[in-house]
């Protein structure tokens, strides 16, 4: 880099020995001679001062040790897009001795080759490349006008993360890449444009955009969004996002929104994006969120907010109250929830009990923490929930007689699905409520009828079995009684409370309690 730099370097991104920085000053710093660059490091521990030297302020830094002065010849200002592409993908025909072994990067994978066979030549034809990764390749601009369109026009997926892009220079790239549908710009400190109408439809085919750790603001997102008319996935992790206004006429095709690690995102801000019509997946991990309330929906009703939301991720937050889980039952399309490492689910609490409670509280949930919820697990969770809080329900005004069943508002607010579970399975009987709480059962004996649907000559028997008995041990007992190998036995059961339905006991390691087998149920044995 020449020692005669002009002011146009201000704001440029640079790399020095693997560390990234932004140029804040260019000029002389007395008493030393020659040109200096004042830079603000991404990592403030790399610097020495705040932009001041011997009492003179040359530039300002956000951190007191974020700045340094560096000679221009020590700084890497980077290369243009096509230079980076050719450096990574195009093979040069060097001396014979250098051609015996080559390493070509295809996507993110290094491939060792021998010689210049036809496959290598095909990969080096840049016009055929559809997926390009230029992560950490010091790309600083698009380069010569029209050069990208001429050289590699068929790119569909482009990774430009952790480069030296300092402005929305990618607009010029997008204008040349008409087929681009995936773009990753993470870890570039971008200055976004101010109100340019030329943004509209610039990335006409783009469906996935990753802007993690770019420093983009919500206002800038909305300002740039007309350039992404068909965008379906937007990732904004660790951008210090504060949702300040509702998207209107933009982001209407969005299906996935990642707001992870944005500590400013709160309940009221979420209402501003609650009416994105196609939003199916919302990722709110590590945002510090602790509460949510949908004011348009009462107990047992569905909210009009987030109408298409199917998958919600709220890991690593401050959720400590069951009221948060109760509110999620109001989401009309929610099928999957990930909610780990929250005060509500951590500590000395039994993980299986917490899982059962969440399942019982969110009626339409099909997957919890990436584990599918089988039909028998849901039935067990709901029956256990009905028993566990049955006495509390009675004290609050609940009654087996529908005409007298009037639990108070406090109970209904804490257990909004309880009445529905009573309709589904019947109100808990007094005899049920006298037994130990189902989450604490250890040695309670179940009185079961054992039948053999495929062996009509076998005599029906009655047995008392502990609820803590595993399916494997039940099979062992039956194997000895019937003289049939354990491996050939298939178990299921029927409940008089759910006539006409049969529930498979498919996991040998689970207990009768896990499957919510109760006294009076009928065990069905086949082989």
């Amino acid at each position: 880099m020449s020692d005669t730099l002009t002011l146009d370097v201000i704001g440029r991104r640079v790399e020095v020995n693997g560390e990234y920085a932004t140029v804040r000053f260019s000029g002389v710093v007395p008493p030393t001679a020659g040109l200096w660059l004042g830079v603000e490091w991404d990592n403030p521990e790399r610097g020495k001062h705040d932009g001041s030297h011997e009492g003179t302020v040359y530039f300002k830094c956000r951190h007191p040790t974020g700045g340094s002065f560096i000679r221009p010849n020590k700084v890497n200002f980077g290369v243009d897009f096509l230079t980076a592409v050719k450096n990574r993908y195009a093979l040069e025909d060097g001396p014979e001795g250098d051609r015996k072994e080559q390493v070509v990067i295809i996507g993110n994978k290094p491939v060792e080759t021998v010689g210049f066979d036809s496959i290598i030549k095909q990969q080096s034809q840049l016009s055929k490349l559809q997926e390009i990764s230029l992560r950490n390749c010091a790309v600083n601009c698009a380069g010569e006008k029209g050069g990208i369109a001429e050289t590699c026009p068929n790119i569909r997926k482009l990774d430009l993360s952790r480069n030296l892009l300092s402005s929305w220079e990618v607009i010029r790239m997008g204008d040349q890449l008409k087929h681009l549908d995936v773009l990753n710009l993470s870890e570039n400190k971008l200055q976004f444009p101010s109100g340019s109408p030329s943004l509209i439809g610039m990335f006409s085919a783009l469906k996935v955009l990753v802007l993690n750790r770019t420093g983009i603001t919500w206002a800038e997102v909305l300002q740039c969004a007309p350039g992404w008319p068909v965008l379906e996935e937007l990732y904004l992790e660790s951008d210090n996002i504060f949702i300040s206004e509702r998207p209107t006429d933009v982001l209407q095709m969005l299906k996935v929104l990642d707001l992870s690690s944005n500590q400013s995102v709160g309940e009221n801000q979420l209402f501003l994006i609650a009416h994105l019509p196609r939003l199916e997946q919302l990722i709110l991990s590590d945002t510090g969120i602790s509460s949510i309330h949908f004011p348009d929906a009462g107990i047992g009703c569905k909210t009009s907010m987030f109408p298409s939301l199917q998958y919600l991720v709220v890991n690593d937050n401050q959720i400590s109250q069951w009221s948060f889980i109760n509110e999620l039952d109001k989401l009309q399309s929610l099928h999957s929830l990930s909610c780990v490492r929250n005060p509500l689910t951590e500590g000395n609490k039994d993980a299986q009990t917490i899982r059962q409670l969440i399942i019982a509280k969110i009626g339409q949930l099909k997957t919890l923490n990436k584990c599918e919820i089988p039909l028998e697990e849901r039935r067990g969770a709901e029956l256990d929930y009905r028993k566990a809080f049955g006495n509390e329900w009675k004290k609050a005004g609940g009654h087996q007689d529908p005409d007298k069943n009037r639990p108070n508002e406090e109970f209904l607010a804490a257990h909004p699905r309880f009445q529905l579970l009573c309709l589904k399975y019947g109100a808990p009987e007094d005899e049920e409520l006298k037994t130990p709480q189902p989450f604490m059962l250890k040695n309670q004996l179940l009185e079961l009828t054992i039948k053999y649907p495929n062996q009509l000559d076998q005599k029906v028997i009655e047995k008392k079995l502990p609820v803590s008995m595993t399916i494997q041990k039940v099979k062992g007992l039956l194997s000895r009684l019937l003289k049939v190998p354990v491996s050939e036995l298939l178990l299921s059961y029927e409940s008089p409370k759910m006539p006409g339905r049969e529930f498979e006991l498919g996991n040998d390691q689970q207990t009768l309690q896990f499957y919510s087998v109760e006294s009076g149920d009928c065990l069905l044995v086949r082989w």
Side-chain angles (χ1 to χ4, degrees), residues 2 4 45 97 138 184 210 231 248 265 290 328 347 371 419 437:
S2 169
T4 58
E45 295 180 1
N184 187 348
V210 188
L231 192 69
T248 54
V265 173
S290 60
L328 298 185
C371 293
Q419 294 287 76
Q437 295 279 320

Side-chain angles (χ1 to χ4, degrees), residues 15 17 38 56 65 96 189 215 225 245 250 283 294 309 318 375 378 398 424 476 478 525:
E15 180 265 328
N17 297 325
T56 302
T65 61
E96 186 68 28
K189 303 296 182 183
E245 56 183 300
V250 292
I283 305 172
F294 301 109
L309 189 63
Q318 300 301 317
L375 180 63
R378 169 159 294 285
K424 185 175 181 179
L478 292 170
V525 186

Side-chain angles (χ1 to χ4, degrees), residues 444-452 459-467 469 473-474 476-482 512 517-523 525:
Q444 179 189 351
L445 293 178
L446 301 175
E447 297 184 6
L448 303 176
T449 301
I450 301 178
K451 296 182 179 179
Y452 316 94
K459 182 180 178 182
V460 175
I461 60 174
E462 306 284 337
K463 274 285 183 183
K464 290 184 178 181
L465 302 177
V467 294
M469 193 172 192
K473 290 183 178 179
V474 174
L477 173 65
L478 292 170
S479 174
R480 292 189 292 274
L481 286 174
L482 301 169
L512 292 171
V517 179
E518 299 178 323
S519 288
D521 289 348
C522 180
L523 197 61
V525 186

Side-chain angles (χ1 to χ4, degrees), residues 235-268:
Y235 298 86
L236 301 170
E237 180 183 336
S238 300
D239 280 321
N240 199 28
I241 290 287
F242 182 90
I243 301 174
S244 53
E245 56 183 300
R246 180 174 174 174
T248 54
D249 302 324
V250 292
L251 303 180
Q252 300 302 296
M253 304 292 287
L254 201 64
K255 294 182 178 180
V256 178
L257 178 59
D258 185 355
L259 294 170
S260 297
S261 300
N262 288 290
Q263 295 295 321
S264 299
V265 173
E267 175 182 358
N268 292 332

Side-chain angles (χ1 to χ4, degrees), residues 169-234:
E169 175 75 18
V170 286
I171 292 173
R172 292 180 56 201
M173 300 179 190
D175 192 34
Q176 300 179 66
L177 298 173
K178 300 300 184 183
H179 304 294
L180 188 66
D181 59 18
V182 178
L183 176 60
N184 187 348
L185 294 172
S186 297
E187 299 176 81
N188 287 284
K189 303 296 182 183
L190 300 173
Q191 294 292 320
F192 290 86
S194 54
S196 172
S198 62
L199 286 175
I200 297 176
M202 187 61 69
F203 292 88
S204 58
L206 194 65
K207 292 185 177 180
V208 180
L209 178 58
V210 188
L211 295 172
N212 299 336
R213 295 176 292 284
T214 59
I216 191 172
T217 67
W218 184 250
E220 289 168 339
V221 168
L222 298 187
Q223 179 186 323
C224 296
W228 322 319
V230 297
L231 192 69
E232 295 182 356
E233 300 182 23
L234 178 59

Side-chain angles (χ1 to χ4, degrees), residues 148-162:
I148 297 175
E150 181 180 348
T151 307
C152 43
N154 295 309
I155 297 174
R156 294 181 179 275
K157 297 182 180 180
L158 176 58
D159 184 354
L160 283 171
S161 60
R162 195 166 172 77

